[in-house]
Every structure is written in C-alpha cells, then in structure tokens.
mmCIF file of all heavy atoms in Angstrom:
data_model
loop_
_atom_site.group_PDB
_atom_site.id
_atom_site.type_symbol
_atom_site.label_atom_id
_atom_site.label_comp_id
_atom_site.label_asym_id
_atom_site.label_seq_id
_atom_site.Cartn_x
_atom_site.Cartn_y
_atom_site.Cartn_z
ATOM 1 N N HIS N 290 -87.581 142.974 154.687
ATOM 2 C CA HIS N 290 -88.607 143.943 154.995
ATOM 3 C C HIS N 290 -88.179 144.594 156.313
ATOM 4 O O HIS N 290 -88.496 145.893 156.309
ATOM 5 C CB HIS N 290 -90.047 143.334 154.966
ATOM 6 C CG HIS N 290 -91.110 144.352 154.984
ATOM 7 N ND1 HIS N 290 -92.360 143.887 155.220
ATOM 8 C CD2 HIS N 290 -91.144 145.699 154.933
ATOM 9 C CE1 HIS N 290 -93.188 144.940 155.151
ATOM 10 N NE2 HIS N 290 -92.430 145.986 155.025
ATOM 11 N N ALA N 291 -87.962 143.910 157.341
ATOM 12 C CA ALA N 291 -87.748 144.392 158.628
ATOM 13 C C ALA N 291 -86.578 145.302 158.599
ATOM 14 O O ALA N 291 -86.443 146.351 159.217
ATOM 15 C CB ALA N 291 -87.585 143.243 159.672
ATOM 16 N N LYS N 292 -85.540 144.912 157.940
ATOM 17 C CA LYS N 292 -84.235 145.804 157.683
ATOM 18 C C LYS N 292 -84.614 147.136 157.052
ATOM 19 O O LYS N 292 -84.057 148.149 157.552
ATOM 20 C CB LYS N 292 -83.293 144.967 156.854
ATOM 21 C CG LYS N 292 -82.038 145.664 156.585
ATOM 22 C CD LYS N 292 -81.010 144.765 155.731
ATOM 23 C CE LYS N 292 -79.793 145.537 155.553
ATOM 24 N NZ LYS N 292 -78.810 144.788 154.632
ATOM 25 N N GLU N 293 -85.416 147.156 156.067
ATOM 26 C CA GLU N 293 -85.765 148.339 155.395
ATOM 27 C C GLU N 293 -86.536 149.194 156.374
ATOM 28 O O GLU N 293 -86.532 150.460 156.371
ATOM 29 C CB GLU N 293 -86.640 148.037 154.116
ATOM 30 C CG GLU N 293 -85.902 147.407 153.062
ATOM 31 C CD GLU N 293 -86.837 147.079 151.914
ATOM 32 O OE1 GLU N 293 -87.954 147.139 152.135
ATOM 33 O OE2 GLU N 293 -86.371 146.619 150.884
ATOM 34 N N LEU N 294 -87.361 148.534 157.200
ATOM 35 C CA LEU N 294 -88.155 149.353 158.167
ATOM 36 C C LEU N 294 -87.297 150.108 159.241
ATOM 37 O O LEU N 294 -87.605 151.236 159.622
ATOM 38 C CB LEU N 294 -89.174 148.463 158.822
ATOM 39 C CG LEU N 294 -90.445 149.066 159.367
ATOM 40 C CD1 LEU N 294 -91.272 149.929 158.395
ATOM 41 C CD2 LEU N 294 -91.348 148.024 160.091
ATOM 42 N N ILE N 295 -86.266 149.336 159.717
ATOM 43 C CA ILE N 295 -85.320 149.815 160.668
ATOM 44 C C ILE N 295 -84.538 150.999 160.082
ATOM 45 O O ILE N 295 -84.360 152.028 160.684
ATOM 46 C CB ILE N 295 -84.404 148.789 161.122
ATOM 47 C CG1 ILE N 295 -85.084 147.544 162.056
ATOM 48 C CG2 ILE N 295 -83.235 149.406 161.949
ATOM 49 C CD1 ILE N 295 -84.260 146.497 162.288
ATOM 50 N N THR N 296 -84.126 150.998 158.872
ATOM 51 C CA THR N 296 -83.429 151.914 158.127
ATOM 52 C C THR N 296 -84.155 153.184 157.972
ATOM 53 O O THR N 296 -83.752 154.327 158.232
ATOM 54 C CB THR N 296 -82.894 151.537 156.838
ATOM 55 O OG1 THR N 296 -82.127 150.323 156.964
ATOM 56 C CG2 THR N 296 -82.212 152.526 155.940
ATOM 57 N N LEU N 297 -85.518 153.084 157.705
ATOM 58 C CA LEU N 297 -86.299 154.116 157.531
ATOM 59 C C LEU N 297 -86.890 154.830 158.812
ATOM 60 O O LEU N 297 -86.894 156.053 158.891
ATOM 61 C CB LEU N 297 -87.535 153.668 156.683
ATOM 62 C CG LEU N 297 -88.604 154.763 156.365
ATOM 63 C CD1 LEU N 297 -88.072 155.887 155.362
ATOM 64 C CD2 LEU N 297 -89.861 154.072 155.653
ATOM 65 N N TRP N 298 -87.165 153.982 159.865
ATOM 66 C CA TRP N 298 -87.779 154.428 160.992
ATOM 67 C C TRP N 298 -86.744 154.924 161.987
ATOM 68 O O TRP N 298 -87.182 155.768 163.020
ATOM 69 C CB TRP N 298 -88.758 153.512 161.486
ATOM 70 C CG TRP N 298 -90.121 153.724 160.946
ATOM 71 C CD1 TRP N 298 -90.553 153.344 159.642
ATOM 72 C CD2 TRP N 298 -91.213 154.687 161.334
ATOM 73 N NE1 TRP N 298 -91.768 153.722 159.284
ATOM 74 C CE2 TRP N 298 -92.232 154.587 160.262
ATOM 75 C CE3 TRP N 298 -91.381 155.282 162.397
ATOM 76 C CZ2 TRP N 298 -93.384 155.307 160.501
ATOM 77 C CZ3 TRP N 298 -92.590 156.104 162.591
ATOM 78 C CH2 TRP N 298 -93.518 156.081 161.635
ATOM 79 N N SER N 299 -85.618 154.484 162.010
ATOM 80 C CA SER N 299 -84.791 154.835 163.073
ATOM 81 C C SER N 299 -84.429 156.320 163.180
ATOM 82 O O SER N 299 -84.565 156.999 164.328
ATOM 83 C CB SER N 299 -83.265 154.129 162.923
ATOM 84 O OG SER N 299 -83.372 152.858 163.188
ATOM 85 N N PRO N 300 -84.182 157.015 161.976
ATOM 86 C CA PRO N 300 -84.043 158.402 162.146
ATOM 87 C C PRO N 300 -85.254 159.270 162.507
ATOM 88 O O PRO N 300 -85.452 160.207 163.036
ATOM 89 C CB PRO N 300 -83.386 158.880 160.814
ATOM 90 C CG PRO N 300 -83.735 157.748 159.893
ATOM 91 C CD PRO N 300 -83.781 156.425 160.722
ATOM 92 N N ARG N 301 -86.491 158.489 161.952
ATOM 93 C CA ARG N 301 -87.796 159.205 162.242
ATOM 94 C C ARG N 301 -88.025 159.198 163.633
ATOM 95 O O ARG N 301 -88.506 160.049 164.215
ATOM 96 C CB ARG N 301 -88.882 158.364 161.534
ATOM 97 C CG ARG N 301 -88.832 158.755 160.003
ATOM 98 C CD ARG N 301 -90.112 157.973 159.331
ATOM 99 N NE ARG N 301 -90.218 158.220 157.969
ATOM 100 C CZ ARG N 301 -91.022 157.653 157.130
ATOM 101 N NH1 ARG N 301 -91.922 156.865 157.675
ATOM 102 N NH2 ARG N 301 -91.043 157.820 155.803
ATOM 103 N N ILE N 302 -87.867 158.034 164.313
ATOM 104 C CA ILE N 302 -88.036 157.790 165.815
ATOM 105 C C ILE N 302 -87.139 158.813 166.574
ATOM 106 O O ILE N 302 -87.493 159.410 167.556
ATOM 107 C CB ILE N 302 -87.804 156.412 166.252
ATOM 108 C CG1 ILE N 302 -88.880 155.542 165.685
ATOM 109 C CG2 ILE N 302 -87.875 156.341 167.751
ATOM 110 C CD1 ILE N 302 -88.661 154.115 165.694
ATOM 111 N N ALA N 303 -85.898 159.047 166.054
ATOM 112 C CA ALA N 303 -84.955 159.918 166.785
ATOM 113 C C ALA N 303 -85.531 161.296 166.724
ATOM 114 O O ALA N 303 -85.467 162.062 167.774
ATOM 115 C CB ALA N 303 -83.588 159.848 166.072
ATOM 116 N N ARG N 304 -86.024 161.671 165.667
ATOM 117 C CA ARG N 304 -86.676 163.152 165.516
ATOM 118 C C ARG N 304 -87.943 163.245 166.458
ATOM 119 O O ARG N 304 -88.122 164.199 167.148
ATOM 120 C CB ARG N 304 -87.188 163.409 164.020
ATOM 121 C CG ARG N 304 -85.997 163.519 163.244
ATOM 122 C CD ARG N 304 -86.434 164.135 161.778
ATOM 123 N NE ARG N 304 -85.366 164.088 160.697
ATOM 124 C CZ ARG N 304 -85.035 163.200 159.882
ATOM 125 N NH1 ARG N 304 -85.715 162.074 159.856
ATOM 126 N NH2 ARG N 304 -84.065 163.356 159.049
ATOM 127 N N ILE N 305 -88.797 162.164 166.445
ATOM 128 C CA ILE N 305 -89.949 162.195 167.367
ATOM 129 C C ILE N 305 -89.529 162.393 168.718
ATOM 130 O O ILE N 305 -90.241 163.054 169.574
ATOM 131 C CB ILE N 305 -90.876 160.882 167.165
ATOM 132 C CG1 ILE N 305 -91.366 160.905 165.701
ATOM 133 C CG2 ILE N 305 -91.884 160.730 168.142
ATOM 134 C CD1 ILE N 305 -91.777 159.465 165.381
ATOM 135 N N LEU N 306 -88.500 161.541 169.291
ATOM 136 C CA LEU N 306 -88.071 161.621 170.626
ATOM 137 C C LEU N 306 -87.167 162.727 170.824
ATOM 138 O O LEU N 306 -86.716 162.940 172.126
ATOM 139 C CB LEU N 306 -87.519 160.274 171.022
ATOM 140 C CG LEU N 306 -88.543 159.127 170.958
ATOM 141 C CD1 LEU N 306 -87.780 157.895 171.311
ATOM 142 C CD2 LEU N 306 -89.842 159.341 171.803
ATOM 143 N N ASP N 307 -86.693 163.491 169.782
ATOM 144 C CA ASP N 307 -85.609 164.567 170.077
ATOM 145 C C ASP N 307 -84.392 163.972 170.590
ATOM 146 O O ASP N 307 -83.913 164.559 171.483
ATOM 147 C CB ASP N 307 -86.141 165.655 170.818
ATOM 148 C CG ASP N 307 -85.413 166.999 170.707
ATOM 149 O OD1 ASP N 307 -84.786 167.056 169.724
ATOM 150 O OD2 ASP N 307 -85.491 167.729 171.690
ATOM 151 N N VAL N 308 -83.905 162.838 169.849
ATOM 152 C CA VAL N 308 -82.591 162.276 170.222
ATOM 153 C C VAL N 308 -81.659 162.306 169.123
ATOM 154 O O VAL N 308 -81.917 162.064 167.944
ATOM 155 C CB VAL N 308 -82.932 160.792 170.594
ATOM 156 C CG1 VAL N 308 -81.610 160.012 170.689
ATOM 157 C CG2 VAL N 308 -83.855 160.616 171.796
ATOM 158 N N GLU N 309 -80.425 162.801 169.562
ATOM 159 C CA GLU N 309 -79.428 162.871 168.511
ATOM 160 C C GLU N 309 -78.266 161.653 168.493
ATOM 161 O O GLU N 309 -77.897 161.155 167.632
ATOM 162 C CB GLU N 309 -78.665 164.242 168.551
ATOM 163 C CG GLU N 309 -79.434 165.430 168.145
ATOM 164 C CD GLU N 309 -78.610 166.612 168.032
ATOM 165 O OE1 GLU N 309 -77.560 166.692 168.592
ATOM 166 O OE2 GLU N 309 -79.090 167.662 167.584
ATOM 167 N N ASP N 310 -78.214 161.290 169.786
ATOM 168 C CA ASP N 310 -77.052 160.179 170.007
ATOM 169 C C ASP N 310 -77.754 158.862 170.128
ATOM 170 O O ASP N 310 -78.456 158.526 171.265
ATOM 171 C CB ASP N 310 -76.345 160.582 171.221
ATOM 172 C CG ASP N 310 -75.121 159.558 171.440
ATOM 173 O OD1 ASP N 310 -74.799 158.792 170.465
ATOM 174 O OD2 ASP N 310 -74.695 159.445 172.573
ATOM 175 N N TYR N 311 -77.762 158.069 169.085
ATOM 176 C CA TYR N 311 -78.461 156.839 169.145
ATOM 177 C C TYR N 311 -77.612 155.878 168.145
ATOM 178 O O TYR N 311 -76.855 156.374 167.340
ATOM 179 C CB TYR N 311 -79.858 156.747 168.702
ATOM 180 C CG TYR N 311 -80.108 157.275 167.203
ATOM 181 C CD1 TYR N 311 -80.288 156.340 166.245
ATOM 182 C CD2 TYR N 311 -80.103 158.761 167.033
ATOM 183 C CE1 TYR N 311 -80.565 156.897 164.874
ATOM 184 C CE2 TYR N 311 -80.317 159.037 165.551
ATOM 185 C CZ TYR N 311 -80.516 158.154 164.655
ATOM 186 O OH TYR N 311 -80.700 158.530 163.284
ATOM 187 N N PRO N 312 -77.715 154.433 168.338
ATOM 188 C CA PRO N 312 -76.951 153.572 167.567
ATOM 189 C C PRO N 312 -77.289 153.663 166.023
ATOM 190 O O PRO N 312 -78.401 153.840 165.644
ATOM 191 C CB PRO N 312 -77.385 152.184 168.025
ATOM 192 C CG PRO N 312 -77.938 152.489 169.448
ATOM 193 C CD PRO N 312 -78.549 153.801 169.309
ATOM 194 N N HIS N 313 -76.080 153.858 165.201
ATOM 195 C CA HIS N 313 -76.440 153.797 163.822
ATOM 196 C C HIS N 313 -75.863 152.561 163.143
ATOM 197 O O HIS N 313 -75.793 152.503 161.922
ATOM 198 C CB HIS N 313 -75.561 155.024 163.240
ATOM 199 C CG HIS N 313 -76.127 156.269 163.546
ATOM 200 N ND1 HIS N 313 -76.116 156.895 164.742
ATOM 201 C CD2 HIS N 313 -76.903 157.236 162.638
ATOM 202 C CE1 HIS N 313 -76.821 158.027 164.652
ATOM 203 N NE2 HIS N 313 -77.285 158.237 163.493
ATOM 204 N N ASN N 314 -75.506 151.526 164.011
ATOM 205 C CA ASN N 314 -75.123 150.227 163.491
ATOM 206 C C ASN N 314 -75.989 149.274 164.284
ATOM 207 O O ASN N 314 -75.770 149.006 165.487
ATOM 208 C CB ASN N 314 -73.612 150.005 163.666
ATOM 209 C CG ASN N 314 -73.245 148.757 162.866
ATOM 210 O OD1 ASN N 314 -73.774 147.696 162.820
ATOM 211 N ND2 ASN N 314 -71.904 148.820 162.260
ATOM 212 N N ILE N 315 -77.035 148.681 163.676
ATOM 213 C CA ILE N 315 -78.027 147.857 164.386
ATOM 214 C C ILE N 315 -77.949 146.458 163.916
ATOM 215 O O ILE N 315 -78.082 146.213 162.654
ATOM 216 C CB ILE N 315 -79.380 148.440 164.233
ATOM 217 C CG1 ILE N 315 -79.376 149.899 164.809
ATOM 218 C CG2 ILE N 315 -80.439 147.574 164.830
ATOM 219 C CD1 ILE N 315 -80.779 150.651 164.586
ATOM 220 N N ASP N 316 -77.849 145.490 164.805
ATOM 221 C CA ASP N 316 -78.010 144.060 164.381
ATOM 222 C C ASP N 316 -79.449 143.652 164.549
ATOM 223 O O ASP N 316 -80.079 143.735 165.633
ATOM 224 C CB ASP N 316 -77.010 143.267 165.419
ATOM 225 C CG ASP N 316 -75.564 143.588 165.342
ATOM 226 O OD1 ASP N 316 -75.108 143.962 164.196
ATOM 227 O OD2 ASP N 316 -74.832 143.595 166.389
ATOM 228 N N LEU N 317 -79.851 142.832 163.621
ATOM 229 C CA LEU N 317 -81.186 142.342 163.558
ATOM 230 C C LEU N 317 -81.022 140.773 163.276
ATOM 231 O O LEU N 317 -80.415 140.304 162.172
ATOM 232 C CB LEU N 317 -81.968 142.842 162.380
ATOM 233 C CG LEU N 317 -83.346 142.117 162.054
ATOM 234 C CD1 LEU N 317 -84.214 142.242 163.375
ATOM 235 C CD2 LEU N 317 -84.055 142.871 160.858
ATOM 236 N N THR N 318 -81.343 140.019 164.315
ATOM 237 C CA THR N 318 -81.383 138.659 164.260
ATOM 238 C C THR N 318 -82.627 137.976 164.381
ATOM 239 O O THR N 318 -83.392 138.246 165.339
ATOM 240 C CB THR N 318 -80.399 137.992 165.364
ATOM 241 O OG1 THR N 318 -79.120 138.526 165.228
ATOM 242 C CG2 THR N 318 -80.301 136.609 165.259
ATOM 243 N N ILE N 319 -82.971 137.030 163.369
ATOM 244 C CA ILE N 319 -84.187 136.243 163.598
ATOM 245 C C ILE N 319 -83.791 134.799 164.082
ATOM 246 O O ILE N 319 -83.033 134.111 163.240
ATOM 247 C CB ILE N 319 -85.002 136.199 162.226
ATOM 248 C CG1 ILE N 319 -85.280 137.572 161.660
ATOM 249 C CG2 ILE N 319 -86.247 135.346 162.457
ATOM 250 C CD1 ILE N 319 -86.013 137.582 160.323
#
C-alpha cells in the first residue's frame, strides 16, 4: 500500500512544489 502511495504521490508532490529534478528510484524499507 505504501509503495502504491509513493508511486502515485511523488509526481503530484513534484507538481505542488514546482520541482522537476527529484529521485525517480526510491527505496522503501520497513
């Protein structure tokens, strides 16, 4: 569920903050 959320919200957050250069390969560790 967290993985899906990251996939969906990373580009949304980039738009909100007006950021183009951000990591597109993200490690999630529990």
